Amino acid sequence: MEMLPAVRPAETAVERSSERGVRLRGTPPASTPAALLELLADAGAGPGVLKATRSWIAKRPSEHSRTAYAKDAAWWLAFCAAAGVDPTRARSTDADDYETALRETGLAKSTRGRRLAAASSWYTYLVRADVADRNPFEGMERPSVSADDSPTRGLTPKQLATLLAYAREHESTRTYALLTTLATTAGRIGSVLALTYKGLGHDQGHRVADLVVKGDKAKRVVLVPLAVEAIDAHLADRQLKPDDYVFATRTGRPMDEPAAFRLIRRVAKAAGIPHHDALSPHSLRHSYATALLDKGVPLADVQDAMGHADPRTTRRYDRAAGKLHRSPSYRMQEELAKAMETVGH
């Protein structure tokens, strides 16, 4: 069994990590699979652990998925390094201390749950590869996400229209096309940035885009005329090959997520959006769901557009859920009134 160097057991991992100033929010300790492997190598991981980790990452066929898993796993490794814990010898108490530290940092339940799931997935593979003897996250209770747990700041339809109108008049065609695509497809930022020219097409009279979504599957979304016009204007003077990215930088690589994050806040600030410093790419996805649910679009239709496997996830975006003015009893009263008019006639 390959092990990393043992460290002294002393105070709790939370106390040790606090003393050494480990960060559990902000820029990830590793932002790519290569950086994750480098983090492991710096910690003294042997070739077996590195090989298993490389295989674990490679099992995810999309670049977006590989990057996401690398980022989430890196937080656990950074915690272990600061707390003096050998990752391959970590016990359930260390994993519990990590969960406590994540919670005390004030992270959203969904973020905490995702990071814990990534660490657990990594250990499951290490155990399978016989380079770790246990999964310290096995059996851990994950944070439950309720309808009130979404911390994302969204935009009202008027604010979203203001943002897009400003981008159309004052920003590049790429910026306007990106914001319009995010606002009208509910696409996750990683999926939209990974869109290539061959992913654009037609289906049953509709303009469509094939986005890579969770589970490394392709989801076909409709491009409404507003988005079509913006994308066509952006691509008008470009000679594109099938694998070229729609939202590429000058080097031909796709724009990265941190750049998109900064772009949205910058444009929102310039457009006069009051809470511009609290926005993110997910804010546009959030706004899509809340606006449509508030307009009475059936939950199942919004769920399908958002790509949620569980309707409870979609329900989190329904800010008016449970409000008395939304009671279905009013609709029932309308139906009864219509029926009663016909009684006796």
Side-chain angles (χ1 to χ4, degrees):
M1 184 76 61
E2 180 180 330
M3 298 293 181
L4 299 181
V7 296
R8 61 179 180 84
E11 62 271 41
T12 69
V14 172
E15 293 168 336
R16 291 196 301 263
S17 65
S18 177
E19 289 176 0
R20 301 188 187 192
V22 63
R23 294 181 305 100
L24 291 176
R25 63 190 312 155
T27 303
S31 296
T32 64
L36 177 68
L37 292 170
E38 185 176 342
L39 197 66
L40 270 173
D42 289 344
V49 171
L50 293 174
K51 184 177 185 299
T53 302
R54 191 177 295 110
S55 298
W56 172 70
I57 288 287
K59 284 172 62 65
R60 286 136 191 85
S62 80
E63 182 177 354
H64 171 63
S65 180
R66 291 191 291 270
T67 298
Y69 271 83
K71 288 179 179 179
D72 285 333
W75 290 109
W76 163 246
L77 296 180
F79 176 86
C80 287
V85 173
D86 174 355
T88 62
R89 293 179 178 175
R91 297 186 175 276
S92 58
T93 51
D94 298 316
D96 288 340
D97 285 342
Y98 177 55
E99 193 278 332
T100 298
L102 291 175
R103 176 162 33 86
E104 291 179 347
T105 302
L107 294 168
K109 287 184 178 181
S110 56
T111 300
R112 285 153 41 202
R114 195 185 65 241
R115 291 187 187 178
L116 295 172
S120 181
S121 172
W122 180 59
Y123 276 109
T124 297
Y125 197 87
L126 293 188
V127 171
R128 201 176 140 210
D130 202 28
V131 292
D133 58 4
R134 68 176 68 85
N135 177 357
F137 292 88
E138 187 173 1
M140 174 185 284
E141 289 188 14
R142 305 277 173 79
S144 59
V145 180
S146 70
D148 299 321
D149 289 327
S150 178
T152 302
R153 288 295 299 275
L155 295 157
T156 65
K158 184 176 180 179
Q159 289 171 335
L160 189 54
T162 298
L163 180 74
L164 295 181
Y166 179 88
R168 181 178 57 197
E169 296 299 322
H170 302 285
E171 296 290 332
S172 67
T173 57
R174 185 189 70 172
T175 293
Y176 176 57
L178 175 62
L179 295 180
T180 304
T181 302
L182 289 170
T184 60
T185 65
R188 293 181 173 86
I189 184 61
S191 299
V192 173
L193 293 179
L195 178 64
T196 59
Y197 186 57
K198 67 182 178 184
L200 300 175
H202 297 78
D203 188 358
Q204 302 178 49
H206 301 279
R207 288 285 293 274
V208 296
D210 291 331
L211 303 179
V212 176
V213 297
K214 285 185 176 181
D216 301 311
K217 300 176 182 178
K219 177 178 175 60
R220 178 157 291 178
V221 299
V222 168
L223 294 176
V224 297
L226 188 68
V228 170
E229 292 171 7
I231 291 174
D232 285 350
H234 167 51
L235 302 180
D237 299 325
R238 293 173 58 186
Q239 300 296 321
L240 295 175
K241 298 177 182 177
D243 290 327
D244 286 346
Y245 292 99
V246 173
F247 302 107
T249 63
R250 294 178 181 177
T251 64
R253 298 293 300 163
M255 180 192 297
D256 62 29
E257 293 186 29
F261 188 103
R262 294 190 298 270
L263 181 149
I264 286 174
R265 290 196 171 183
R266 177 183 62 76
V267 177
K269 181 179 181 180
I273 305 299
H275 54 291
H276 57 84
D277 57 347
L279 298 179
S280 69
H282 191 69
S283 296
L284 276 69
R285 179 172 161 82
H286 173 99
S287 302
Y288 179 102
T290 54
L292 295 183
L293 288 170
D294 194 51
K295 288 296 183 181
V297 175
L299 179 69
D301 291 342
V302 180
Q303 176 190 348
D304 184 60
M306 298 288 283
H308 292 152
D310 190 329
R312 289 174 296 182
T313 305
T314 313
R315 187 76 166 170
R316 293 172 58 204
Y317 296 89
D318 192 354
R319 296 307 192 196
K323 301 297 183 182
L324 295 181
H325 76 276
R326 287 269 299 274
S327 173
S329 296
Y330 287 113
R331 179 65 62 85
M332 186 63 187
Q333 193 275 153
E334 292 175 6
E335 296 302 318
L336 283 173
K338 291 177 184 178
M340 290 172 68
E341 290 178 358
T342 66
V343 175
H345 294 285

